[in-house]
């Protein structure tokens, strides 16, 4: 699960963290926390030996069955640091990359952020990721919805996040015959 925001007390990171900590039955989640460590994407650098942060990012993606995003909109588009992450994903042509991988997102913006999410859809389309429409959700969240622990305090919103994860997991199970979602294919999966 990946947040497109680097901000402390980010609502999008709260969505991701809440999805992780409330635990969806049968689903093992991993939160990508190292967005800030990725170097600026440069095709010249997309060669072995890759920067460690890129190796770690691509390895995480390759070991997941699906990916859930939650990103803010900046200036009518995706935040640059998040787009940078997607650029590194585009450069990955190995098995297990985002190519045909089930993906979805939660739009947590109270203002719609339609342009950013249109952009996310377009970029994921270029990546040939499989957008799981039934797991794409709008759950408007404000700073007031966050508790001191930086998780979503509202049980209603938390339930919406859980349902999104469940929808993504259902898709993966239906397609691949059983899993574990955002999610790794390692035996750690069972809770
Ligand atoms: C530099 C900047 C640009 C922004 N541009 C937009 C925008 O174009 N559209 C919008 O709806 N919100 C915009 N926002 C508001 C953020 O998307 C909003 O505060 C969001 O909740 C931040 O997500 P976070 O809490 O996960 O960091 C902008 C915020 C910043 C800091």
């Amino acid at each position: 699960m990946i947040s497109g925001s680097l901000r402390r007390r980010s609502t999008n990171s709260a969505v991701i963290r809440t999805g992780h900590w409330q635990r969806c039955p049968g689903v093992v989640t991993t939160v990508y926390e190292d967005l800030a460590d990725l170097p600026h994407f440069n095709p010249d650098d997309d060669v072995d030996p890759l920067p460690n942060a890129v190796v770690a990012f691509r390895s995480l993606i390759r070991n997941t069955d699906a990916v859930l995003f939650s990103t803010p909109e900046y200036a009518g588009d995706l935040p640059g640091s998040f787009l940078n992450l997607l650029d590194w994903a585009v450069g990955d042509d190995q098995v297990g990359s985002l190519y045909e991988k089930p993906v979805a997102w939660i739009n947590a913006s109270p203002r719609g952020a339609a342009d950013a999410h249109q952009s996310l859809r377009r970029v994921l389309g270029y990546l040939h990721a499989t957008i799981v429409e039934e797991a794409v959700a709008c759950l408007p969240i404000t700073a007031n919805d966050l508790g001191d622990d930086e998780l979503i305090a509202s049980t209603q919103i938390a339930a919406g996040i859980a349902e999104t994860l469940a929808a993504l997991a259902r898709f993966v199970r239906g397609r691949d015959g059983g899993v574990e979602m955002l999610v790794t294919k390692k035996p750690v999966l069972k809770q």
Side-chain angles (χ1 to χ4, degrees):
M1 298 198 282
I2 300 177
S3 168
S5 178
L6 292 169
R7 199 171 69 80
R8 278 191 306 277
R9 289 190 65 78
S10 153
T11 50
N12 289 280
S13 299
V15 165
I16 294 298
R17 253 186 260 114
T18 302
H20 177 64
W21 286 110
Q22 71 183 351
R23 305 199 185 286
C24 178
V27 174
V28 171
T29 51
T30 306
V31 178
Y32 179 68
E33 304 263 20
D34 300 324
L35 178 63
D37 294 342
L38 284 174
H40 293 161
F41 178 72
N42 178 344
D44 293 341
D45 296 335
D46 196 0
V47 291
D48 286 330
L50 288 166
N52 288 342
V54 176
V55 172
F57 166 62
R58 288 183 176 173
S59 162
L60 179 68
I61 295 290
R62 288 177 196 158
N63 285 297
T64 62
D65 295 310
V67 181
L68 182 73
F69 299 100
S70 186
T71 180
E73 177 173 277
Y74 284 177
D77 215 318
L78 296 170
S81 50
F82 180 55
L83 197 48
N84 184 55
L85 171 144
L86 293 172
D87 282 345
W88 280 111
V90 172
D92 187 1
D93 60 0
Q94 300 297 304
V95 173
S97 70
L98 282 179
Y99 185 83
E100 293 186 348
K101 182 152 291 190
V103 295
W105 57 85
I106 292 175
N107 179 351
S109 171
R111 296 198 297 178
D115 290 334
H117 290 86
Q118 204 173 12
S119 182
L120 180 59
R121 181 180 289 280
R122 190 175 59 247
V123 175
L124 291 171
Y126 276 112
L127 279 155
H128 294 282
T130 300
I131 296 173
V132 182
E133 299 294 347
E134 56 270 38
V136 172
C138 282
L139 299 173
I141 291 161
T142 69
N144 294 334
D145 294 315
L146 267 63
D148 292 340
D149 54 4
E150 298 191 20
L151 297 175
I152 303 292
S154 154
T155 50
Q156 198 181 350
I157 297 170
I161 297 167
E163 175 46 35
T164 301
L165 280 168
L168 195 45
R170 272 196 302 274
F171 179 89
V172 172
R173 287 194 191 98
R175 192 180 81 158
D176 300 343
V179 156
E180 295 109 45
M181 195 204 58
L182 301 196
V183 169
T184 80
K185 290 174 174 153
K186 298 180 205 142
V188 250
L189 296 181
K190 307 293 179 218
Q191 295 171 24

